[in-house]
Amino acid sequence: MVDRRQHWENVYRNKATDEVSWFQTHAAFSLRLIRDSGTGLDAHIIDVGGGASVLVDNLLDAGYRNLTVLDLSEAALAESRKRLGARAGPVTWLADDITRAVLPAGAYDVWHDRAVFHFLTDPADRARYVEQVLKSVKPGGHVIVAAFGPGGPLQCSGLDVVRYSPDALHAEFGAPFRLLRHETEIHPTPAGKEQEFVYCYCRRL
Ligand SMILES: C[S@@+](CC[C@H](N)C(=O)[O-])C[C@H]1O[C@@H](n2cnc3c(N)ncnc32)[C@H](O)[C@@H]1O
């Protein structure tokens, strides 16, 4: 069996980044939720499982300057670094598994994840993920997690996913997080299909 790191390396090595189902030309929902959080441009923001997403470009364009992108796939991060050129320099790039990475304690004002948490089908992995958020996000920090909604696909990239209503997604994180807002995005894939995403915006208490 291919381990999950190898799986994602294969995806990014064998497919163009604008062909993958989750591709967006602009990370509109994520950017708007981060902006609406009211956090300053000096906020420390981590995009977990950022892959080759343009969210980092959009955040740099908006003036945010303390950015970290974490992903299992070196190839995905290399793609983003190449796209950004000299602008990639000040960004922190972490090639790691979010369930195992050693993240700095109390470091982040904003935690963002689009389409990563829903791959954690093992409850023990989900518990490790939530521990990471609790450890590395400052009290009062902003947590934005987007997963496939109840009408979303059962699989992505050949892997099973867990689909969530806003309440079910919030329940995974529990009492230390207050759900302040949720939104649904119907994401048009490059292949012309539609995918339902649920975005939850929580404050870490
Ligand atoms: C569906 S893609 C979404 C990428 C990006 N967030 C976006 O919206 O374009 C899922 C990403 O999560 C990464 N990933 C999957 N499992 C991971 C894990 N356990 N730790 C870190 N990254 C992971 C994959 O390499 C991939 O880039």
Side-chain angles (χ1 to χ4, degrees), residues 4 8 12 22 24 47-53 70-73 76 96-99 114-116 118-120 156:
R4 71 180 166 208
W8 288 104
Y12 285 104
W22 54 93
Q24 301 175 291
D47 187 15
V48 173
S53 164
L70 178 147
D71 201 276
L72 258 183
S73 165
D96 216 331
D97 185 323
I98 194 53
T99 64
R114 174 176 178 268
V116 184
H118 66 198
F119 287 110
L120 302 179
C156 176

Side-chain angles (χ1 to χ4, degrees), residues 81-196:
R81 279 199 297 265
K82 187 168 135 206
R83 189 181 65 239
L84 285 165
R87 296 211 300 158
V91 177
T92 302
W93 303 94
L94 301 176
D96 216 331
D97 185 323
I98 194 53
T99 64
R100 290 177 174 73
V102 179
L103 296 174
Y108 304 111
D109 300 286
V110 179
W111 176 286
H112 172 270
D113 161 352
R114 174 176 178 268
V116 184
F117 185 78
H118 66 198
F119 287 110
L120 302 179
T121 53
D122 177 351
D125 277 342
R126 295 200 290 273
R128 279 191 279 271
Y129 180 109
V130 174
E131 275 168 29
Q132 297 278 43
V133 186
L134 279 171
K135 179 188 152 201
S136 64
V137 174
K138 296 174 188 171
H142 312 271
V143 179
I144 297 161
V145 177
F148 282 153
L154 293 165
Q155 283 202 323
C156 176
S157 188
L159 300 176
D160 289 344
V161 303
V162 183
R163 302 180 299 177
Y164 293 98
S165 66
D167 284 343
L169 186 52
H170 175 238
E172 292 287 335
F173 288 78
F177 300 87
R178 181 175 299 146
L179 178 62
L180 293 179
R181 178 170 163 188
H182 59 83
E183 293 194 13
T184 298
E185 176 192 21
I186 303 301
H187 165 66
T189 73
K193 296 193 174 140
E194 290 188 335
Q195 295 179 334
E196 181 192 56

